[in-house]
């Protein structure tokens, strides 16, 4: 994804039951742009793991919390020197209730604020700003709406996007000085865009027109496999849509998260966030898009049985577009003959699919580009996948 002239570093403050979407999206996107990200948690060291949760609405008045998977820390909290980082990222989730009472964590946030370094918060993690006393004087801030009275009591100025009826209509975040705050994961596309701009990122394109990407999804699409690249491409200024054959714009697809539990041969599947379809199937025109992406999960099984989905991919092939697939997403490309003679990044589960489709399964690389085909072995390879896909779309990011 282009070259990075200045090395940037980010600190990701973690803990049990942090919101998975708000953790993995910035983590993978920043890594794909060459940013060095240290994931730390108090009283834990590199190699320890933190449990993550998914917060989403399931028909009740308040969001539901689902335990999904775990994140492995890659640095020690006690070794953190704030001056070595350009930004601290604090995802939402219940872990901030504990961290807001931890003197070392509160002091860490205060030191970032004193040195005017970027502080990126989401949903409920603004409680760390309250604990550190850094909103006094009218710092403009947004958060999940239950945080409004606390932000105002702490001397901050509450901001809310005008004309909004539902949390899922919110698209904007707010930046005031070195503070960037979001209501929650629905605003991550704009949030990541503001984060990159604040870190000095410059996005360039070889194309005159805005790049456009279509995601083919269905129920039980892999959560990170759709959400991370979707939000990353939004942040880069691309036009991005997600469609599925039997649902209309505004309807949702269930996602899945895969958690490799100790002693298991394969990961356990757990329900993830709902993903909103952004366009109706009959409104899709192949000529409007430069690329089609098929994320993994179990949704490719649904798509490969649907004649409309197979036919749409073949139309993209006829137009010589860019194709990308993650994990099991290669199943749909295999059914359309697009893997024949191609090198494909593949884990063990997709080796047979790639082989019978006439392709070459590459296990030694997490992401492989062969002509206009970009493939990733799994969601864990998303940083490399995002980098290669952006290059295929003619995009580059430099700091």
């Amino acid at each position: 994804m282009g070259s990075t002239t200045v090395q940037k570093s980010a600190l990701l403050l973690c803990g049990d039951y942090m919101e998975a979407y708000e953790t993995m999206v910035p983590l993978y996107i920043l890594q794909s742009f060459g940013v060095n990200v240290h994931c730390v948690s108090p009283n834990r060291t590199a190699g320890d793991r933190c449990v993550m949760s998914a917060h989403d609405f399931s028909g009740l008045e308040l969001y539901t919390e689902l335990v999904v998977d775990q994140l492995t820390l890659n640095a020690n909290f006690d070794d953190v020197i704030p001056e070595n980082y350009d930004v601290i990222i604090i995802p939402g989730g219940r872990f901030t209730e504990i961290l807001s009472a931890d003197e070392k964590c509160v002091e860490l946030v205060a030191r970032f604020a004193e040195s005017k370094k970027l502080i990126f918060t989401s949903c409920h993690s603004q409680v760390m700003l309250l604990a550190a006393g850094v909103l006094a004087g009218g710092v403009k801030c947004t958060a999940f709406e239950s945080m409004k009275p606390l932000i105002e009591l702490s001397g901050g100025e509450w901001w809310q996007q005008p004309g909004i009826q539902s949390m899922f209509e919110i698209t904007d975040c707010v930046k005031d000085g070195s503070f960037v705050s979001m209501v929650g994961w629905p605003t991550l596309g704009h949030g990541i865009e503001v984060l990159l701009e604040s870190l000095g990122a410059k996005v360039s394109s070889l194309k005159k027109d805005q790049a456009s990407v279509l995601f083919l999804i269905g129920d039980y699409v892999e959560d990170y496999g759709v959400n991370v690249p979707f939000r990353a491409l939004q942040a880069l200024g691309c036009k991005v849509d997600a469609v599925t054959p039997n649902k209309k714009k505004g309807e949702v697809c269930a996602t899945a998260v895969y958690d490799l539990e100790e002693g298991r041969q394969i990961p356990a599947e757990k329900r993830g966030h709902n993903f909103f379809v952004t366009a109706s199937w009959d409104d899709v025109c192949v000529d409007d898009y430069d690329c089609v992406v098929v994320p993994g999960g179990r949704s490719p099984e649904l798509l490969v049985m649907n004649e409309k989905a197979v036919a749409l991919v073949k139309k993209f092939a006829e137009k010589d577009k860019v194709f990308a697939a993650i994990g099991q997403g290669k199943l749909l490309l295999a059914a359309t003959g697009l893997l024949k003679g191609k090198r494909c990044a593949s884990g063990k589960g997709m080796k047979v699919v790639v082989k019978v489709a006439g392709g070459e399964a590459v296990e030694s690389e997490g992401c492989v580009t062969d002509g206009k085909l970009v493939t990733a072995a799994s969601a864990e390879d998303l940083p490399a996948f995002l980098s290669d896909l952006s290059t295929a779309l003619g995009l580059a990011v430099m700091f």
Side-chain angles (χ1 to χ4, degrees):
M1 187 179 291
S3 58
T4 300
T5 56
V6 178
Q7 178 67 56
K8 296 290 184 177
S9 296
L11 184 67
L12 185 62
L13 191 57
C14 305
D16 285 332
Y17 298 99
M18 57 188 175
E19 217 289 328
Y21 193 165
E22 296 167 20
T23 302
M24 301 308 292
V25 169
L27 171 62
Y28 280 155
I29 292 177
L30 289 178
Q31 287 179 332
S32 73
F33 298 160
V35 176
N36 186 29
V37 185
H38 283 166
C39 305
V40 301
S41 184
N43 305 314
R44 292 183 177 175
T45 58
D48 290 342
R49 300 201 291 177
C50 291
V51 175
M52 295 191 291
S53 62
H55 288 175
D56 207 344
F57 288 86
S58 57
L60 304 176
E61 290 186 295
L62 192 62
Y63 59 86
T64 297
E65 180 178 271
L66 302 173
V67 178
V68 285
D69 58 350
Q70 301 177 72
L71 175 71
T72 301
L73 305 176
N74 62 3
N76 301 326
F77 181 87
D78 290 341
D79 294 337
V80 169
I81 301 174
E83 290 73 21
N84 292 343
Y85 299 93
D86 300 287
V87 58
I88 183 171
I89 299 168
I90 315 174
R94 290 191 293 117
F95 81 107
T96 55
E97 297 175 8
I98 298 298
L99 267 59
S100 65
D102 185 302
E103 291 183 2
K104 290 183 178 179
C105 290
V106 173
E107 181 184 358
L108 179 65
V109 173
R111 288 180 64 183
F112 268 83
E114 290 167 5
S115 58
K116 308 294 184 184
K117 289 182 177 287
L118 202 61
I119 301 177
F120 188 86
T121 57
S122 179
C123 202
H124 293 81
S125 67
Q126 288 82 345
V127 70
M128 298 301 297
L129 306 181
L130 312 183
V134 297
L135 294 183
V139 174
K140 191 178 295 185
C141 186
T142 193
F144 191 73
E145 197 167 357
S146 63
M147 295 288 295
K148 178 182 177 181
L150 299 179
I151 288 172
E152 293 178 335
L153 286 169
S154 68
E157 178 186 342
W158 173 257
W159 180 89
Q160 183 169 314
Q161 186 174 334
I164 295 300
Q165 302 298 319
S166 163
M167 176 178 175
F168 296 105
E169 296 177 12
I170 300 173
T171 57
D172 293 343
C173 65
V174 62
K175 184 175 188 289
D176 189 349
S178 59
F179 300 96
V180 179
S181 56
M182 302 190 307
V183 171
W185 55 258
T187 60
L188 268 169
H190 184 236
I192 296 297
E193 180 182 0
V194 172
L195 174 60
L196 292 173
E197 290 175 354
S198 300
L199 290 173
K202 303 295 182 182
V203 181
S204 60
S205 175
L206 297 177
K207 293 182 56 180
K208 292 183 179 179
D209 300 325
Q210 176 189 41
S212 54
V213 181
L214 184 68
F215 284 73
L216 296 188
I217 65 173
D219 282 330
Y220 293 102
V221 62
E222 206 280 327
D223 194 329
Y224 308 143
V226 62
N227 277 312
V228 173
F230 194 92
R231 299 302 183 188
L233 293 169
Q234 281 185 325
L236 294 181
C238 298
K239 173 191 174 184
V240 191
D241 279 318
V243 297
T244 191
N246 299 319
K247 296 185 181 183
K248 296 180 180 180
K249 178 180 179 179
E251 295 186 280
V252 298
C253 286
T255 73
V257 177
Y258 295 90
D259 182 22
L260 185 56
E261 298 172 341
E262 188 173 353
R264 305 290 186 183
Q265 290 179 311
I266 60 174
E269 181 182 273
K270 300 177 181 179
R271 180 69 180 267
H273 301 83
N274 290 325
F275 190 92
F276 283 87
V277 175
T278 65
S280 297
W281 188 269
D282 292 340
D283 295 334
V284 171
C285 177
V286 172
D287 291 332
D288 292 338
Y289 299 94
D290 303 297
C291 170
V292 61
V293 178
V294 187
R298 288 193 290 114
S299 67
E301 293 188 53
L302 181 66
L303 295 172
V304 80
M305 295 186 290
N306 189 293
E307 293 181 359
K308 293 189 293 184
V310 174
L312 183 64
V313 172
K314 288 181 177 178
K315 287 182 181 178
F316 270 86
E318 292 169 2
K319 298 286 187 176
D320 195 30
K321 304 285 187 175
V322 175
F323 291 86
I326 305 161
Q328 295 91 336
K330 292 184 282 291
L331 175 61
L332 182 58
L333 301 189
T336 56
L338 286 168
L339 301 188
K340 188 175 182 179
K342 295 291 188 179
R343 298 176 70 250
C344 303
S346 178
K348 290 181 172 61
M350 293 303 294
K351 282 182 66 177
V352 172
V353 171
V354 173
K355 183 178 179 180
V356 299
E360 177 189 346
V362 180
E363 292 186 84
S364 59
E365 300 175 48
C367 182
V368 173
T369 298
D370 189 339
K372 290 191 173 183
L373 175 66
V374 182
T375 55
S378 71
E380 292 180 355
D381 303 300
L382 279 169
F385 175 80
L386 286 175
S387 180
D388 284 9
L389 179 58
S390 297
T391 299
L393 291 171
L395 300 170
V397 176
M398 297 183 68
F399 292 96

